[in-house]
Amino acid sequence: MKQSDVNRLITDEVDQIEDSDVKQFIRDILAFERSKIDQNQPHFKNEYEDLIKKYTAEDDD
Amino acid sequence: MTRLEFKTIRLKNYRQYAGEQEIDLTSRTGRLNIIQGQNGAGKSNLLNAITLCFYGEERRQDDSDEDLESLPYVTRSVLEELDDGDSLSGYIEVELGTDNPEYIFRRTFSTYRVDSGFTNQIGDLTLRRRVGSEWKEPDNPNTHLNQVLPATVSDYFLFDGEDLDAFFEEGYTDRVRDAILDVSHIELLNTSIDHLEKVQTDIERKASNLEGEAGELRDQIDELEDELEEKESELSTTKSDIESTETEIERIDRKLQDISDEVVRDLYTEREELEEDIKEKESKIEDLQKDTVELMVEAGPVVYSSEALDYTLELFNDLSDKGQIPPKIQEWFIDELVERGECICGTELSEGDEHVKHLRELQTDVSEVMEENLEGKSEIPSMKKVASGQVDQIQDRRQQIASLSDEIDSGKERIEEIKNRLKSYDIPDDVDIEALEDNREQLESQVNTLREQKGRIEKEIEDIESKIDSTRTDLHRELEKEDRHQQILKQLDFISDADAQIRDIKQSILADIRESTEENLEQYFNELIWKDEEYDITLYDDYSIAVFDPHGDNKIGSLSAGEKQVLALSFMAALTQISGFNAPILIDTPLGRISSEPKRRIAKNLPKYVEDTQITFLMTDEEYTDEVQAMMQSSLANEYLLEFDNNVTRVVSHA
């Protein structure tokens, strides 16, 4: 299983989410968490906040 | 074979393995490797070597009672020559690959001789990875290891069969749940949820750097979250206390099992059987009680209003006798009369005349009367008949419950007698049975108290979580009142949507995983079990498992030690299948501590265990008999013997 891989059981479920922003956001945070899986307490707040801003700002367009 | 397999394990000066030794496990014609060795020859330490190399920890206690951490990594006989302060080093190298070697993981270790004994040190994990035709040394070997077999999942690929003895004993649902969570990547979802919640709190704080109601609500959430954290940590401590107490009970049980005195062993076996029998009977009582409640719900209203129903029926009959209740006339009968144009009394009937009008009124009345009264009149006896049958069934179940309760009581009395006999039994062995028994009793009572405590904390956590949800809803309502918070609210709503979606995914995946675990578990169990009949296995939402025999009886409470071992081995196999990792499997003493006959019967079916995967069995002479060897012959890749002499083990080919 590669580092970027998330168990297919999960990705299949994510694919079914209707709201495309929420879907992409969840894909992004899962990929982020998967890449940090071997770190005990990875920094995440900035990454999460940036992603949230990105997807909620897109709503305004 | 497209799955990863162990190619070679190289050891230098590790535990019993003095000097440099190499074990070639490459699959050739077959997929099964056998490493056979007597107790103490170093089987468990081969498993330890792999986990020490991969994860920097030894997981298996060896056959001595000494604490692993106090023992030197480096072979004792080599250390003897050292002076205080000197050290010696060794290494463990594990080579993995599919067709060709692809990964070589290596870890060095050193043991220092000090006044009081020895101290160990381990080096960092290193990796050589084949890329094309070249070998490279990546900077992040742990990340690569996580792609091959992360520590959380490794327990289901690299394990000791003796640890499975108690897997399906009391409290097994927690073990099943934890294992399923381990292998399913659910942790990734849990971390995402946890991180989202933390970011949500930060964003809420930004918005509630404010006065008034919103600030107060945010403070309340903070307090509740602190309380939640405290309770969660309390729960985790309680769970680990339960686990360690259960391990302690198992340790005592093993000591008692190992006592050579036949009377003690028989008493112990009898007690174990009685305890299992009681468990099964208690579970039967529970089923019967549920059944009784359902029957009471159905029969209750009729039984409790029996007198009123009798009186009503009496009134009906009375009125009927007096002709005050119209006879039961079907609507179609009046329709036919009108259509025929003649009443049964001979009166001519034509649409629109007074007679027909009267008949039509009668038809309406009869219809209402029939529905409301006449049907009731004929229904009462049949209702009473059904209820009476149900009452008989309730009585029957009550009798069964009473007789099972009596049997449980006498079983418990016998257990008490056995306890007292064991306590007063004097045996030549250097074992204080009374002390062990007292200790066991105390531990059992501790476990019961801890389990109650766990249930209470779980309920408290549920309540706090629900309070947090409702306070959060209030906070968001408060924030909505001010325009300046609109962007923040949008972010919070977005987080809330994402959080809800991830939680839904988690539930859905857990359901899928439960389903595929159940399928795999049933398949492996039926393949491994030595009986001809097929068993149906159900894994319930609360992670409890039912094993139904062909008669539909759930045998989970009365499985023999051998059957439990098969169930546990099947569960481990099912987990490897859903984990998504294609790693090889290595099992130390696969048949655990079960007795000879079932051991022989299960061993015969081991070649069927997790097909298409390389499996290395570390087996005792008792497990790897000539008969088992013959059964495995066609699937064998490599056979080794651990020759143990003068506390040093040499690995020799057993071909």
Side-chain angles (χ1 to χ4, degrees):
Chain A
M1 193 171 279
K2 289 179 189 151
Q3 187 176 343
S4 53
D5 283 352
V6 172
N7 198 319
R8 242 192 74 195
L9 287 169
I10 298 179
T11 53
D12 286 353
E13 290 285 335
V14 175
D15 289 346
Q16 288 172 29
I17 297 174
E18 281 178 16
D19 185 319
S20 59
D21 285 336
V22 173
K23 177 168 27 188
Q24 197 48 49
F25 171 71
I26 292 176
R27 279 183 186 146
D28 288 351
I29 59 170
L30 287 174
F32 170 78
E33 296 297 352
R34 183 73 182 92
S35 70
K36 304 285 174 191
I37 204 164
D38 53 339
Q39 295 179 19
N40 264 341
Q41 289 183 316
H43 292 289
F44 62 91
K45 288 192 177 174
N46 289 342
E47 285 79 357
Y48 270 59
E49 283 184 16
D50 288 349
L51 286 170
I52 290 163
K53 277 180 196 154
K54 176 180 159 190
Y55 289 108
T56 51
E58 277 174 5
D59 282 353
D60 293 337
D61 294 342
Chain B
M1 191 180 285
T2 53
R3 293 178 72 104
L4 275 181
E5 59 180 53
F6 289 117
K7 294 291 181 189
T8 311
I9 298 173
R10 294 186 194 90
L11 308 165
K12 185 183 174 192
N13 288 341
Y14 174 69
R15 301 281 195 203
Q16 294 98 323
Y17 300 88
E20 286 190 338
Q21 305 214 34
E22 181 174 300
I23 309 172
D24 180 2
L25 297 174
T26 310
S27 295
R28 294 176 181 89
T29 47
R31 65 186 184 92
L32 299 183
N33 292 310
I34 304 294
I35 300 176
Q36 185 185 357
Q38 65 185 78
N39 286 340
K43 292 190 304 302
S44 298
N45 279 336
L46 262 185
L47 180 54
N48 278 332
I50 296 172
T51 59
L52 183 66
C53 173
F54 283 174
Y55 313 111
E57 60 181 19
E58 294 177 309
R59 295 183 180 162
R60 298 298 326 128
Q61 179 67 46
D62 67 7
D63 296 316
S64 73
D65 262 351
E66 288 182 88
D67 184 11
L68 266 184
E69 284 174 16
S70 69
L71 297 170
Y73 287 152
V74 172
T75 319
R76 259 181 198 273
S77 59
V78 185
L79 286 173
E80 298 300 327
E81 294 150 24
L82 291 188
D83 293 326
D84 274 356
D86 285 352
S87 70
L88 261 178
S89 301
Y91 65 80
I92 301 159
E93 209 170 75
V94 181
E95 197 175 287
L96 291 145
T98 47
D99 292 332
N100 295 303
E102 290 165 39
Y103 302 86
I104 302 176
F105 290 98
R106 178 187 168 101
R107 197 185 290 268
T108 56
F109 54 83
S110 306
T111 297
Y112 291 80
R113 186 162 194 132
V114 290
D115 291 341
S116 54
F118 305 101
T119 58
N120 294 317
Q121 264 185 12
I122 53 167
D124 291 333
L125 177 70
T126 62
L127 168 67
R128 275 180 295 147
R129 170 99 206 259
R130 190 205 288 269
V131 183
S133 58
E134 285 179 48
W135 284 94
K136 297 195 169 172
E137 285 194 34
D139 296 333
N140 45 357
N142 284 306
T143 305
H144 287 268
L145 179 62
N146 276 325
Q147 293 159 18
V148 172
L149 190 60
T152 47
V153 178
S154 63
D155 277 346
Y156 309 104
F157 287 82
L158 313 170
F159 59 91
D160 185 343
E162 287 192 355
D163 286 348
L164 301 184
D165 288 4
F167 194 92
F168 282 102
E169 297 291 350
E170 194 74 26
Y172 77 87
T173 51
D174 283 351
R175 289 188 279 276
V176 170
R177 187 199 55 225
D178 291 348
I180 287 178
L181 294 186
D182 276 348
V183 298
S184 58
H185 273 195
I186 292 287
E187 203 43 44
L188 216 54
L189 297 175
N190 285 339
T191 315
S192 304
I193 290 170
D194 180 48
H195 287 172
L196 262 183
E197 282 176 353
K198 289 196 166 94
V199 172
Q200 179 183 34
T201 302
D202 281 359
I203 295 177
E204 279 171 356
R205 281 207 183 104
K206 276 183 207 159
S208 35
N209 267 342
L210 33 81
E211 55 297 332
E213 185 70 13
E216 277 173 29
L217 288 167
R218 186 52 247 176
D219 288 345
Q220 279 178 31
I221 294 176
D222 277 348
E223 278 170 28
L224 286 165
E225 282 175 341
D226 288 346
E227 209 181 319
L228 183 64
E229 205 173 313
E230 214 172 282
K231 289 288 164 199
E232 277 169 346
S233 129
E234 211 179 308
L235 181 63
S236 138
T237 315
T238 310
K239 278 183 181 173
S240 97
D241 287 349
I242 291 176
E243 213 167 290
S244 53
T245 317
E246 282 173 343
T247 311
E248 196 51 26
I249 293 175
E250 279 159 29
R251 196 186 60 77
I252 293 176
D253 285 349
R254 283 183 183 177
K255 272 201 168 167
L256 289 167
Q257 260 176 340
D258 289 344
I259 289 173
S260 54
D261 187 284
E262 208 176 317
V263 177
V264 174
R265 264 210 328 267
D266 287 350
L267 283 172
Y268 178 80
T269 310
E270 188 189 345
R271 180 172 71 181
E272 255 200 337
E273 282 169 4
L274 281 166
E275 280 172 346
E276 278 189 7
D277 188 49
I278 287 175
K279 254 188 254 166
E280 198 191 342
K281 286 189 169 119
E282 281 172 343
S283 143
K284 267 189 194 160
I285 287 183
E286 217 172 284
D287 290 345
L288 285 166
Q289 279 169 336
K290 271 187 207 158
D291 235 18
T292 311
V293 169
E294 277 167 25
L295 285 166
M296 281 174 81
V297 167
E298 283 171 32
V302 181
V303 174
Y304 289 116
S305 48
S306 176
E307 282 184 19
L309 285 170
D310 286 345
Y311 179 63
T312 310
L313 190 61
E314 204 178 301
L315 281 181
F316 269 133
N317 290 335
D318 201 25
L319 288 169
S320 187
D321 290 347
K322 289 178 187 164
Q324 289 172 345
I325 288 185
K328 192 171 175 177
I329 303 170
Q330 303 288 347
E331 282 181 70
W332 56 263
F333 179 71
I334 293 174
D335 285 336
E336 272 187 15
L337 281 184
V338 174
E339 204 177 307
R340 204 173 61 182
E342 188 185 343
C343 184
I344 45 170
C345 62
T347 309
E348 214 171 288
L349 301 170
S350 60
E351 281 293 355
D353 70 16
E354 277 304 307
H355 298 298
V356 171
K357 227 189 249 175
H358 178 70
L359 277 173
R360 291 293 179 209
E361 279 169 14
L362 181 64
Q363 192 178 29
T364 314
D365 288 349
V366 161
S367 156
E368 282 168 13
V369 169
M370 267 171 64
E371 278 170 25
E372 291 169 11
N373 298 318
L374 295 179
E375 287 298 317
K377 179 189 161 192
S378 57
E379 276 299 312
I380 291 173
S382 94
M383 277 162 67
K384 289 197 68 180
K385 196 176 168 191
V386 170
S388 158
Q390 286 166 330
V391 168
D392 288 346
Q393 288 180 46
I394 292 171
Q395 274 168 350
D396 172 58
R397 275 151 187 72
R398 282 193 172 153
Q399 273 165 7
Q400 285 187 53
I401 291 173
S403 110
L404 285 168
S405 301
D406 288 346
E407 285 167 27
I408 289 174
D409 285 347
S410 55
K412 284 182 176 169
E413 272 172 33
R414 177 67 190 142
I415 287 175
E416 274 307 306
E417 274 171 34
I418 291 174
K419 274 184 189 171
N420 293 332
R421 274 197 71 188
L422 281 171
K423 279 184 191 179
S424 59
Y425 202 78
D426 202 11
I427 52 164
D429 289 23
D430 187 20
V431 181
D432 185 347
I433 298 188
E434 183 175 4
L436 283 176
E437 275 300 311
D438 283 343
N439 197 358
R440 191 182 189 280
E441 220 170 302
Q442 278 174 8
L443 291 167
E444 267 188 346
S445 138
Q446 267 177 36
V447 165
N448 288 336
T449 314
L450 284 166
R451 285 205 189 108
E452 280 166 21
Q453 191 175 316
K454 177 172 160 263
R456 184 177 47 75
I457 300 171
E458 280 170 344
K459 175 76 181 68
E460 284 170 356
I461 286 178
E462 211 176 281
D463 289 348
I464 297 170
E465 281 174 340
S466 141
K467 271 187 207 161
I468 290 177
D469 282 350
S470 67
T471 316
R472 181 158 271 140
T473 309
D474 292 346
L475 171 65
H476 289 200
R477 208 171 288 139
E478 201 57 36
L479 292 175
E480 276 167 15
K481 291 179 185 168
E482 294 188 51
D483 284 347
R484 66 193 170 105
H485 295 314
Q486 291 318 304
Q487 186 54 32
I488 281 175
L489 266 176
K490 185 183 269 186
Q491 292 179 0
L492 290 174
D493 285 345
F494 184 77
I495 292 174
S496 173
D497 285 350
D499 183 80
Q501 291 284 3
I502 298 175
R503 283 174 196 274
D504 282 352
I505 290 172
K506 187 176 148 186
Q507 286 315 316
S508 161
I509 287 173
L510 276 178
D512 284 353
I513 284 175
R514 264 201 295 267
E515 200 177 312
S516 52
T517 307
E518 183 181 280
E519 266 173 40
N520 286 320
L521 182 57
E522 185 174 293
Q523 182 200 328
Y524 292 127
F525 185 77
N526 282 311
E527 278 172 6
L528 276 185
I529 198 79
W530 56 88
K531 299 178 178 178
D532 289 336
E533 56 228 36
E534 281 279 309
Y535 291 84
D536 284 332
I537 295 187
T538 305
L539 174 59
Y540 295 106
D541 287 355
D542 62 356
Y543 299 97
S544 61
I545 287 174
V547 179
F548 293 108
D549 68 9
H551 312 292
D553 290 331
N554 181 7
K555 311 296 288 179
I556 189 76
S558 56
L559 292 177
S560 67
E563 289 165 335
K564 276 185 189 155
Q565 187 79 8
V566 169
L567 187 63
L569 279 169
S570 311
F571 182 63
M572 302 303 261
L575 290 173
T576 62
Q577 295 303 297
I578 58 168
S579 72
F581 291 93
N582 297 323
I585 294 174
L586 185 140
I587 312 174
D588 181 15
T589 332
L591 306 177
R593 301 167 64 92
I594 53 177
S595 52
S596 307
E597 186 49 25
K599 193 171 264 189
R600 196 182 61 81
R601 289 185 295 199
I602 303 169
K604 282 165 68 177
N605 288 339
L606 275 181
K608 295 178 190 164
Y609 191 70
V610 199
E611 280 166 333
D612 302 327
T613 301
Q614 184 205 43
I615 303 182
T616 303
F617 290 118
L618 309 176
M619 296 176 101
T620 58
D621 300 346
E622 199 193 358
E623 289 175 314
Y624 197 53
T625 57
D626 291 346
E627 187 188 8
V628 172
Q629 186 188 31
M631 304 281 308
M632 289 186 169
Q633 198 61 49
S634 60
S635 315
L636 281 180
N638 301 285
E639 281 176 279
Y640 291 99
L641 187 65
L642 302 180
E643 277 187 358
F644 185 58
D645 187 32
N646 269 337
N647 294 321
V648 168
T649 294
R650 263 184 356 105
V651 185
V652 295
S653 175
H654 189 29

